[in-house]
Every structure is written in structure tokens, then in C-alpha cells.
Amino acid sequence: MHPLITLVVQRIALGLILLLAVSVLIFLGVEALPGDTAQAILGQGATPETLANMRESLGLNEPAISRYFTWLGHALTGDFGVALTNKIDIAQAIGQRLGNTLFLAACAGVIAVPFAIGLGLLAARHNGRWPDKLISGVTLAAISLPEFVAAYFVIYLLTQVFPVLQPVSMVFPGMGFLERLHAVALPVIVLVMVVLAHMMRMTRAAILNVMQSPYIETAELKGLSPMQVIWRHALPNAVAPIVSVVVINLAYLVVGVVVVEVVFSYNALGQYLVDHVTKRDLPVVQAVGLIFAAVYIGLNIFADVVGIVANPRLRHPK
Amino acid sequence: MRIPFSALLGLAVMGLMLLSSVLAQWVAPYGLNETVGKVWENPSATFWLGTDQIGRDILSRLLYGGQVTIFVAAASSALAFSMGAFFGFLAAVRGGWVDTTLSRIVDVMMAVPSLIVALVVLSVLPLTLPTLILVMGVLDSTRVFRLSRAVAADIAVMDYVEAAKLRGEGQSWIIFREILPNAMSPLVAEFGMRFIFAVLFISTLSFLGLGIQPPDTDWGGMVRENKEGLIYGKSAAMVPAAAIAVLAIAVNTVADWILSRTSSLKGGRNG
């Protein structure tokens, strides 16, 4: 077998094992903590008898290991059970909200990626001079802020100082595409900011790393302009790290959406998760937690695979 | 030793925030939960930073809230630090299955963003100060573990460690008397980063309503309480948000300076 395929298969297998381990953490780790689902449903006023009955009816008297495998088996077939608080089917509730979250993340990704690469190239081109310092300074400040603080600065700026947008993002089923875009403008701007800063800094670092190679010096010495050096020689060699950087940062959107959705009261998966953490609705939290973990790990595997495939040294082994 | 202006400014801001928060009981003009004015009053001579959504003085709440934010962040980063450094050193010194087990556990914990793990865990645990500190500290210790394991692995092969082993010193001697003093400078810079991460983490949790619970408050919680105001054009939420931003940037400049200083020290030793 081609060694490249072996590497890719190994990487994917490793990722799947990691995901399995995380699912154990999400299920058994939480089970091991004090307090259980029966207690959570009945609250403080529970008598020992009602507690015992509730545990019996929820199947909580089974050993944790067998409950884990039941849960995992159902989760793999898309059955997450019903929410404790309102008895609504979890998979259905997730299905309704997943689209909204993906729409938000996709908009942010589509805008952030070209911007990040462009700014990264610009900063690398003017390494050490004022455009680089300006871009690096602003992105450093953006990285040091938590997402919700950055969000409120953007809200304040665009609704109070320059009132062009509304501070709440509502999307309804049946809304037109353009209407939807207008409704999510603010959260998208915030998400772009959060992801852009990381992505741009890593792009810049990847290009500067390549710029230290001897063939770049040769290109400079034969008289190519700096932009030509970057475009013809540095960029093709930096594609693999840049693609990895882009995908890793898209995975970072997983955290971003949770906070940003709460900031804008945007009805989607992150808001759903936080709501049910507050309500102590464990099955919902475990289901959504597993989905976020799977997306995050999946994107990370994808980044690694792209890195392996795009690396010419691995593609043509000696 | 020359301290750059940005780091000096960062230190001054940090010191001021720390001092005024510690002294909140004495310097705050009003009580934490004292309703003293109308809803969302603008800043004035009586209320320097205005009033909040039920007419409490924002400056006073900011000072008391700062106490909570800084205490929780300091406690959880201290926990993260001692746990992470201890297990990291242990993994490096013992090697073998101890190292493998610890490293794999950390891999799993770091495979998912801390916020997601924290949300899952906090849906079961009670939202009290000790559990918050514990959860944040344990989640954050993974990063310290990786760093201190790497640092200690470099030190563990030094001649003086070998000498200590040959003289028959125990594991705790090697960890605390040989490795710890030599690993101090990269770890101190890391402490700054951990602290700021903890500030952001507790603020985010409180903002989501899963951190500090009323009647106590912290800066993230204050943003949450006042966020509706932005719809009516009241910018009270911006005050605690700005406080978080200022503290974050101040600690970052100082950590940056310590980091550059320790790496230049290393360069000096080698060259």
C-alpha cells in the first residue's frame, strides 16, 4: 500500500479512538460525579422512595458500563432519547437548530478565510514594518479578549456609535436568504473577528517560516520582487501549513458559536446547550457535547490529513 | 534591567486593579447590593460609572466583582499550576507507564475545547465557588502538564540530576530540589498566561450564567445583567466588558515581557 494512504488511515483511526475516549469522558466521567439524573428530575423535595422508583424507571440501576454502551449505540443511530425537562425528542430538537448554527459558522468561515490569508500575506510581505505591526497589534488585542467582550464592543460600535444594525439576531423558518443574512450580520462579524485573528497570525507565521528557506534567498538574489517571491515561491510551499491552520481555526468556531449565540439570543445549537446546562438536563447536554466534540475532532483530523496529503515530501517518498 | 514602557504600564494597571479590588470594602462608595439610584443612570458625580439594571452603583459592583474575578482566577491558576507541574515533572522523571497514562489522559482532555467539557461537567456539579475553581483548575492543568513535562524532560538528563540519582536521593527530592528550581523561569511566564486564561474562562462562564451566582457577582456576570440595556441604548454592560479587556491586555503585556526576558536569558547562557 502507498505509505501516504497508511499515514492517512492511521491518522483517522487515531482520531476515532480519541473521539471514543471523549465519549467515555462525557458519559462515564459525568456519571462518576456526585448527583444523578433522578435527583436532578425530582429536585430537593425527593423522598428516598420516589428516588428509588425514578432510578428504576430510568434504568439507572444498571451498571454504568452497560448504560454507556446503550447510550453510545443509540447515539450512533441518531437516537439521543428525550429531554428530561420537556420530554421533547432530542435528535429532533437538534435537527431544527443545527441548520442555524451551520449557517452562522459557514457565513463566518466564508468571510474569514480569504481575509485571514490576505492579511497574513500582507503582514508577511511587510514583516517588521508598520503594516505588519499594525495588523499584528490589532489581532493580538483581539486574541486577548474573550469572545463575549469582543462581541459587546462590536455591538456597541455598530448599534450605538454608528447605529446601522440591531443588537438581537432572530431567524425564523421561512425567512428569505437575504433577510437571514441581514439578521446574522452582527454575530457573523463577531465570529469573523474571533477566528480571523488566530488564523491570520498563524498564516503569517507559516509564510515567514517558509521565507527562511534557502530557495527563497535564491529567488531574492536573482532579482524577483518581494510579492513575486511570496506568490511564486513561498505560497505554494506554505499551502499545507496554511490549510491546516484554516481548518484548525474553523474548529475553533465550535467554542465561538456557543458564546456568540448566547450573546445575540440566536436560536441554535450553542444556545440550546447552554440553556440545558442551566436546567441540568443531562441527556441533552451529553448529546450536544458529543456533537460539538465530534465536529471539533473531525475538523482536526481533516486538518492533519490535508497536511499529510499536501506535503510533497510525504507524497513522493524516496 | 530595563523594563519596556508597555510592560510598565501593564504592571501599573494590574497593580491598581488588584489593589482597588482587594480594598473594595473600604474604597467602594456604596454596598454591593445596595439600590441607590434609578435604573441605568448615566455617569455623574454621585455615580462615577452610572447605575445598573436595578439602580445599583456600577463602580462599587465593579470593585467587589473584581475581587471575585481575581480571586477565582488566582486560585484556579494556582491549582492548575501545582497539579500540572507536579504531574508533568512526575511523568518526565518516572517515564514508562506513568508517563504514558498521564499523557494519554491529557490528550483526551485536550481533544475537546475546555468550555465544552466545563459545560458538560457543570450540568451535574453544584455551581459553587469551590467547584468552579476545581473544574477550571483541573481543565487548565493540562496545558501546564505539557509544558512542565517538556521542560523537565530536558532537565532530567542533566548531570546534576544524574548525580542526585546516584547519591540515592528519592523522587520527591529530585522533583522539588533539582528540577523545580531550574524549571522556574519558563513556568513563571506560563503562570501569567494561565491567570489571564482563567480570568477569561470565569468571565465567560459567568456571562453564560454558569459561573458566579447572584447575589455575588463578577465582571462577566455584570455584563450579563446589563446586556438588555444595549437594546435601549444604555451602555452599562460596556463598563465591566472594558474592565475585562483592560485586565486581559495588561497581563498579556507583562507576560510577553517576562517571556522575552527569560528567552534572552537562555540565549545569553548559550552564546
Side-chain angles (χ1 to χ4, degrees):
Chain A
M1 197 160 42
H2 197 284
L4 189 66
I5 299 173
T6 325
L7 263 178
V8 170
V9 169
Q10 266 174 3
R11 188 62 196 86
I12 292 175
L14 204 66
L16 289 180
I17 294 172
L18 205 57
L19 185 55
L20 201 65
V22 168
S23 77
V24 172
L25 182 76
I26 288 178
F27 191 85
L28 293 180
V30 172
E31 296 278 320
L33 296 173
D36 68 10
T37 318
Q39 185 81 56
I41 298 174
L42 294 171
Q44 293 297 326
T47 62
E49 292 80 35
T50 51
L51 261 180
N53 284 338
M54 186 59 102
R55 287 208 178 99
E56 185 67 49
S57 67
L58 289 171
L60 287 178
N61 292 330
E62 301 279 312
I65 299 288
S66 75
R67 274 185 293 130
Y68 166 70
F69 282 109
T70 323
W71 175 72
L72 189 66
H74 285 181
L76 286 177
T77 52
D79 171 15
F80 289 106
V82 294
L84 296 179
T85 36
N86 52 11
K87 305 280 174 256
I88 290 176
D89 186 64
I90 297 175
Q92 208 181 341
I94 288 175
Q96 288 164 356
R97 291 170 174 83
L98 189 64
N100 286 350
T101 294
L102 289 179
F103 181 66
L104 193 64
C107 288
V110 165
I111 299 173
V113 173
F115 255 101
I117 295 176
L119 285 176
L121 280 172
L122 195 69
R125 159 78 178 78
H126 298 282
N127 180 22
R129 270 167 291 156
W130 71 265
D132 180 32
K133 285 195 174 144
L134 180 71
I135 296 173
S136 300
V138 171
T139 50
L140 182 67
I143 287 177
S144 4
L145 300 182
E147 294 84 359
F148 77 95
V149 171
Y152 280 107
F153 282 133
V154 173
I155 295 179
Y156 185 65
L157 205 64
L158 292 182
T159 63
Q160 313 286 322
V161 185
F162 308 104
V164 285
L165 291 165
Q166 289 298 313
V168 184
S169 294
M170 302 284 248
V171 283
F172 315 99
M175 241 171 144
F177 184 70
L178 281 178
E179 260 182 298
R180 249 170 203 269
L181 272 186
H182 185 251
V184 299
L186 261 182
V188 166
I189 293 173
V190 173
L191 276 180
V192 165
M193 242 179 71
V194 169
V195 193
L196 183 80
H198 281 275
M199 220 186 259
M200 175 264 145
R201 290 178 76 84
M202 288 162 87
T203 308
R204 173 179 172 274
I207 293 176
L208 285 181
N209 197 20
V210 173
M211 293 293 273
Q212 282 164 359
S213 321
Y215 55 80
I216 297 294
E217 209 182 336
T218 311
E220 273 166 3
L221 290 177
K222 76 183 183 198
L224 291 184
S225 74
M227 215 54 221
Q228 265 182 313
V229 172
I230 290 187
W231 197 249
R232 301 255 309 270
H233 295 270
L235 197 58
N237 286 291
V239 161
I242 289 176
V243 172
S244 304
V245 162
V246 164
V247 180
I248 288 172
N249 282 294
L250 288 183
Y252 189 74
L253 278 175
V254 166
V255 181
V257 290
V258 173
V259 178
V260 168
E261 283 174 14
V262 174
V263 169
F264 293 96
S265 318
Y266 180 80
N267 181 24
L269 218 48
Q271 173 90 55
Y272 183 62
L273 173 63
V274 173
D275 274 351
H276 286 79
V277 174
T278 319
K279 291 180 190 158
R280 309 198 150 246
D281 196 331
L282 196 53
V284 175
V285 174
Q286 285 173 329
V288 181
L290 188 68
I291 290 176
F292 276 136
V295 170
Y296 190 79
I297 294 175
L299 282 173
N300 271 305
I301 299 174
F302 183 65
D304 280 2
V305 169
V306 169
I308 294 170
V309 173
N311 188 338
R313 289 189 200 91
L314 293 172
R315 211 165 41 209
H316 306 291
K318 288 186 189 120
Chain B
M1 180 178 66
R2 253 181 63 86
I3 304 179
F5 177 72
S6 63
L8 212 58
L9 190 67
L11 270 177
V13 170
M14 262 171 69
L16 192 70
M17 282 187 151
L18 202 68
L19 196 69
S20 56
S21 294
V22 171
L23 298 178
Q25 269 77 356
W26 292 278
V27 295
Y30 305 97
L32 172 64
N33 284 312
E34 210 179 328
T35 305
V36 286
K38 289 201 263 319
V39 172
W40 282 319
E41 273 187 55
N42 287 327
S44 62
T46 16
F47 309 112
W48 289 4
L49 295 175
T51 58
D52 74 355
Q53 88 285 9
I54 53 170
R56 295 170 296 194
D57 179 45
I58 290 186
L59 177 64
S60 308
R61 286 178 70 73
L62 202 61
L63 292 168
Y64 283 106
Q67 221 166 32
V68 177
T69 301
I70 291 174
F71 169 73
V72 172
S76 75
S77 41
L79 177 68
F81 217 69
S82 30
M83 262 185 72
F86 176 75
F87 285 115
F89 292 161
L90 193 69
V93 172
R94 289 287 281 270
W97 67 268
V98 177
D99 184 19
T100 316
T101 316
L102 287 172
S103 298
R104 288 302 86 76
I105 293 175
V106 167
D107 284 349
V108 173
M109 283 171 69
M110 288 183 83
V112 189
S114 324
L115 182 67
I116 303 295
V117 183
L119 288 183
V120 173
V121 173
L122 287 177
S123 67
V124 192
L125 290 175
L127 296 173
T128 59
L129 218 52
T131 41
L132 284 172
I133 293 174
L134 194 71
V135 168
M136 286 169 47
V138 170
L139 285 176
D140 215 15
S141 68
T142 52
R143 287 154 209 274
V144 185
F145 171 85
R146 284 211 176 151
L147 178 79
S148 44
R149 180 176 169 278
V151 171
D154 284 344
I155 299 175
V157 292
M158 293 282 178
D159 290 341
Y160 53 82
V161 178
E162 197 60 29
K165 275 184 193 156
L166 292 176
R167 332 193 259 277
E169 302 289 2
Q171 215 124 64
S172 59
W173 175 282
I174 291 177
I175 288 179
F176 290 108
R177 300 297 293 272
E178 305 289 341
I179 293 182
L180 187 63
N182 290 295
M184 236 24 217
S185 61
L187 289 184
V188 168
E190 180 68 9
F191 190 80
M193 302 312 288
R194 288 305 101 212
F195 177 77
I196 194 62
F197 187 80
V199 168
L200 305 188
F201 203 0
I202 186 64
S203 303
T204 301
L205 284 177
S206 292
F207 171 73
L208 295 176
L210 301 166
I212 309 298
Q213 299 297 312
D216 285 327
T217 195
D218 73 332
W219 292 346
M222 287 176 68
V223 176
R224 176 188 175 79
E225 291 165 0
N226 289 297
K227 65 176 182 172
E228 306 305 329
L230 282 170
I231 300 172
Y232 312 109
K234 300 291 181 190
S235 46
M238 298 314 293
V239 178
I244 297 170
V246 169
L247 180 63
I249 293 172
V251 177
N252 254 325
T253 56
V254 177
D256 237 27
W257 165 63
I258 296 177
L259 209 63
S260 67
R261 209 174 74 90
T262 51
S263 56
S264 73
L265 260 179
K266 268 182 209 148
R269 235 184 266 143
N270 293 335

